[in-house]
Amino acid sequence: MGSNSSRIGDLPKNEYLKKLSGAESVSENDPFWNQLLSFSFPAPTSSTELKLLEEATISVCRSLVENNPRTGNLGALIKVFLSRTKELKLSAECQNHIFIWQTHNALFIICCLLKVFICQMSEEELQLHFTYEEKSPGNYSSDSEDLLEELLCCLMQLITDIPLLDITYEISVEAISTMVVFLSCQLFHKEVLRQSISHKYLMRGPCLPYTSKLVKTLLYNFIRQEKPPPPGTHVFPQQSDGGGLLYGLASGVATGLWTVFTLGGVGSKATASPELSSPLANQSLLLLLVLANLTDASDAPNPYRQAIMSFKNTQDSSPFPSSIPHAFQINFNSLYTALCEQQTSDQATLLLYTLLHQNSNIRTYMLARTDMENLVLPILEILYHVEERNSHHVYMALIILLILTEDDGFNRSIHEVILKNITWYSERVLTEISLGSLLILVVIRTIQYNMTRTRDKYLHTNCLAALANMSAQFRSLHQYAAQRIISLFSLLSKKHNKVLEQATQSLRGSLSSNDVPLPDYAQDLNVIEEVIRMMLEIINSCLTNSLHHNPNLVYALLYKRDLFEQFRTHPSFQDIMQNIDLVITFFSSRLLQAGAELSVERVLEIIKQGVIALPKDRLKKFPELKFKYVEEEQPEEFFIPYVWSLVYNSAVGLYWNPQDIQLFTMDSD
């Protein structure tokens, strides 16, 4: 074996792995550890590659689970790693490739073992495995140092303190992945964990002081999007004789474990995937989201969420209130740019939602930007391609729009931004359109998609709430946007008539047969009438607040005026129809006076002139339409499964057996 371990099938028989997992205790000072840690191979970059690795080493892991209570070898490995990390920063500064390489290998083995242990046992049992020492069979010391906590603190120090260089890139990724694994016990519980040993370590004790520094580092990793160094450069140069990546150690250390082995033929070729462009950024973002969504402790709030809620711009010189713990500053401009560029992934959209919803400093900064189109356009593109997105990604995008439209300044400014040639909008060529009109088009398209496919009331509500928030500030609506508003109303009107007809026929049928249960058409009718009412309120809000800015909407109303006839006397819509009816009647009469066969341009001219003459005092005032996003009472029931589905489906660095996962009662597409 030894240096000839080039096939994945050889791993269960490898002498060093067998010794680690065997029945013999290995002292932390034994030269064995140098031999064990002297391996090199293309680092796994996907779940597929890691699956092959896990399947090959599962027998080794099970053997260690069985023997570790007597040998304490897991604890010895942890101590070897901890002792090495004390010199890691100096090694990075001195470019000590070998030391960093072996320390990375130690952490890689720990991460692989830890994942299997967490999958197969409770946290309490796992904690015991970290306290076992070399004793007589079956005995262990209950007052040993807490290696689990020490390891977690060490990982936080490694992530925050080690400079990011080519030779430290992979160990930084591995440290972040190992922290995710530490918290992955959630995957093996159907319910949201509210008490956990790993949570306890992170929220109090020696780990707590690292809170703000860790959050800041993870954010900057996301911002920088550092790509991994070219293969081989992160460890050491190729040997001149072409003998592979493994460095020839002067001390004669055995070449060991997985020498230049190619993971069963997969090799080191990365899969073409957006997430793989920066594994460090991807894993940092996932860990940040996991930390932000930990449940509060019984006696203290989640400190990582507190840090995310309170950080400020580096250009903000105002002092932090003493009541705000874990505060720090970060460059908002860099963060904004990264968020705009990364919205193709669920996790980046979830981070944007988290920051907008929870950090008032970020929200104020973003709403003051003069280039909001850079942020809004990627969100609209997510909604436009709704068929290709999972429902959670769509929800996050919609809620972001809802939060933004709560601000009147945003609602005004988006109509002042003129866009040219939106290539991803395929229904119609849009050579020039305002950002506001495009937003309306995309939201209406989402509503129509929902009506025909998913029929999700929550999605309808958020779409309509965003339109309602904007309605008083509609300005210079594009003619196509105005048409789509009325077309949506037409679709709702037809649906209303169809449900009404079905209800009538069903009622007639029930007179002759009392045995057949009636469909609940009353509830369907109630829902559709609520949506119609909302659409009428949106149209009314625009007419009463900005009629003179929107001749295209008046034109579309007049063109489809017959649609509104049936709702004039309907008891649910009579009040809101007064203003719409007044506008339709007033402009219809002016068009009649102008004669027949009018061109579109002439009709618009008459409308613009008529706006000045319309008696505004006859328009009835209604309360302003304003909707605020309110998080669910138990948001963790949604967000924690969502975050872990993103971790589970991530293309980088972690693999879990689907049969072991219990958390997902949601779709994890």
Side-chain angles (χ1 to χ4, degrees), residues 67-331:
N67 292 320
N68 189 62
R70 291 180 294 278
T71 65
N73 284 348
L74 177 62
L77 173 61
I78 301 290
K79 289 177 182 178
V80 169
F81 171 73
L82 293 175
S83 67
R84 286 172 171 271
T85 55
K86 292 172 184 174
E87 302 175 45
L88 202 56
K89 190 172 183 180
L90 181 62
S91 298
E93 292 169 357
C94 298
Q95 296 283 304
N96 190 334
H97 295 258
I98 300 172
F99 189 89
I100 294 171
W101 161 53
Q102 289 190 332
T103 308
H104 166 269
N105 289 350
L107 183 56
F108 177 77
I109 295 173
I110 290 168
C111 186
C112 291
L113 294 174
L114 185 62
K115 185 165 63 66
V116 175
F117 274 56
I118 286 175
C119 174
Q120 295 191 0
M121 64 187 67
S122 68
E123 279 193 297
E124 290 74 16
E125 291 173 299
L126 175 67
Q127 194 172 33
L128 288 178
H129 274 276
F130 275 75
T131 60
Y132 294 132
E133 293 181 350
E134 188 179 351
K135 299 273 183 181
S136 57
N139 292 327
Y140 62 89
S141 171
S142 59
D143 57 358
S144 305
E145 71 252 70
D146 196 335
L147 281 179
L148 198 58
E149 183 174 47
E150 197 175 341
L151 176 59
L152 196 50
C153 284
C154 177
L155 292 173
M156 295 174 83
Q157 290 174 358
L158 196 160
I159 294 166
T160 57
D161 293 346
I162 302 303
L164 185 60
L165 309 168
D166 278 1
I167 59 172
T168 61
Y169 188 95
E170 285 211 2
I171 196 170
S172 296
V173 174
E174 204 63 52
I176 292 167
S177 296
T178 306
M179 279 199 69
V180 173
V181 169
F182 251 114
L183 296 161
S184 66
C185 53
Q186 175 64 83
L187 283 169
F188 309 102
H189 291 78
K190 291 181 180 178
E191 305 298 327
V192 169
L193 284 180
R194 301 187 181 279
Q195 290 186 325
S196 164
I197 292 172
S198 55
H199 294 190
K200 180 189 73 175
Y201 287 142
L202 286 167
M203 294 191 188
R204 53 174 64 90
C207 290
L208 188 60
Y210 290 94
T211 296
S212 58
K213 200 172 182 182
L214 179 61
V215 171
K216 183 175 182 177
T217 301
L218 295 174
L219 278 171
Y220 268 127
N221 286 347
F222 167 72
I223 288 169
R224 290 171 182 141
Q225 294 290 316
E226 291 281 354
K227 292 179 171 55
T233 59
H234 59 291
V235 181
F236 30 67
Q238 292 271 0
Q239 287 176 266
S240 57
D241 63 0
L245 294 176
L246 192 60
Y247 191 88
L249 299 181
S251 60
V253 171
T255 52
L257 200 49
W258 298 310
T259 307
V260 204
F261 104 81
T262 59
L263 291 171
V266 174
S268 60
K269 186 177 180 181
T271 307
S273 168
E275 289 83 4
L276 290 182
S277 63
S278 177
L280 180 64
N282 185 72
Q283 295 298 83
S284 295
L285 179 51
L286 290 172
L287 176 58
L288 183 65
L289 292 171
V290 169
L291 292 170
N293 287 282
L294 296 178
T295 53
D296 294 335
S298 57
D299 55 348
N302 177 348
Y304 303 93
R305 190 182 301 125
Q306 284 186 313
I308 286 170
M309 289 172 65
S310 58
F311 71 83
K312 298 194 305 184
N313 196 351
T314 47
Q315 300 189 1
D316 186 347
S317 57
S318 61
F320 283 101
S322 57
S323 59
I324 298 181
H326 316 299
F328 64 91
Q329 290 179 294
I330 201 167
N331 187 306

Side-chain angles (χ1 to χ4, degrees), residues 544-573:
T544 53
N545 290 286
S546 54
L547 176 65
H548 54 296
H549 290 298
N550 292 292
N552 283 327
L553 182 63
V554 177
Y555 183 98
L557 267 176
L558 294 172
Y559 190 73
K560 293 284 188 178
R561 56 189 152 213
D562 293 346
L563 279 176
F564 298 88
E565 191 67 33
Q566 62 177 307
F567 299 106
R568 291 176 64 188
T569 56
H570 194 292
S572 299
F573 311 118

